[in-house]
Amino acid sequence: IYTTKIQMVSEPDEIKQITDSCIFYIDRAQNPMVRSIGWQALGLVKRNTPLAFEYIEKALHEIEGKGYWLQEQSVYFDLIHNRYAAAETYPQAIEYAKLSLAAAEKSGNNYIITKSWAEIGIAYLMNYSLHLESDSLANEAYPYFIHALELYKNGTLDISVRSNQLLYN
């Protein structure tokens, strides 16, 4: 309730009070998945701030190694990847995109696996676009995109609006 409420307020004092309430209840939750969801919600609300990274990483640590939601773990690593990409720190973005792929492959969720392959390619391309120093950065992206496309073409992915959008990306 508090993580939803925080998205509807704009006054700094009210945001701080609701954030404190969120943390209070997250710390008391018994279920690691519930704690993870709470930290993730706070991380998303804090956007591209140091607190966003901290909260998303706390969400990860709640489920890490506990056999919970490997596909969700992949999504959380992807969130961290996106935070680094937004800050144009692509070596870290690539590192987290690769962690996302590893978790996705363990999950068996073909959509997330294919998306993860494509996200690594995108991170390499963005790094190339930022530096324009070496074609090798662009060349590193290519096998990731080809692998994602092969998964799609081989019918590993269900044909759906989501997977078609992924292919276009």
Side-chain angles (χ1 to χ4, degrees):
I1 291 169
Y2 283 108
T3 58
T4 301
K5 186 176 180 182
I6 200 169
Q7 297 174 28
M8 295 183 239
V9 298
S10 59
E11 295 297 320
D13 289 342
E14 195 174 356
I15 290 173
K16 183 187 179 335
Q17 182 181 10
I18 295 170
T19 300
D20 291 346
S21 296
C22 288
I23 293 170
F24 176 85
Y25 287 109
I26 290 168
D27 286 342
R28 281 153 186 76
Q30 298 296 312
N31 186 326
M33 287 185 282
V34 170
R35 289 192 304 270
S36 182
I37 290 167
W39 288 121
Q40 180 197 20
L42 282 176
L44 292 174
V45 167
K46 295 300 179 181
R47 310 230 191 286
N48 291 327
T49 67
L51 273 179
F53 284 100
E54 180 182 328
Y55 292 155
I56 294 293
E57 286 179 11
K58 284 184 178 189
L60 270 173
H61 291 301
E62 291 292 346
I63 60 173
E64 205 167 35
K66 296 181 178 136
Y68 290 108
W69 299 352
L70 286 169
Q71 67 188 36
E72 297 298 330
Q73 190 175 18
S74 174
V75 170
Y76 292 140
F77 280 129
D78 188 48
L79 285 169
I80 295 172
H81 147 262
N82 287 330
R83 300 274 188 250
Y84 281 115
E88 295 185 339
T89 50
Y90 292 106
Q92 291 88 346
I94 291 166
E95 175 187 339
Y96 279 99
K98 288 180 177 179
L99 289 171
S100 178
L101 174 61
E105 288 182 331
K106 288 179 189 174
S107 79
N109 182 313
N110 291 327
Y111 173 76
I112 294 180
I113 292 169
T114 306
K115 181 181 182 304
S116 294
W117 278 96
E119 289 291 344
I120 295 170
I122 290 167
Y124 275 115
L125 273 185
M126 295 305 290
N127 196 25
Y128 167 72
S129 295
L130 181 66
H131 297 289
L132 294 176
E133 294 170 0
S134 168
D135 287 345
S136 68
L137 290 173
N139 292 337
E140 287 183 61
Y142 184 75
Y144 291 99
F145 288 123
I146 291 302
H147 192 86
L149 185 60
E150 288 302 316
L151 286 171
Y152 182 88
K153 284 178 12 184
N154 292 333
T156 306
L157 263 181
D158 292 333
I159 303 299
S160 68
V161 172
R162 282 182 6 167
S163 58
N164 281 333
Q165 184 60 46
L166 176 64
L167 179 62
Y168 297 145
N169 290 339

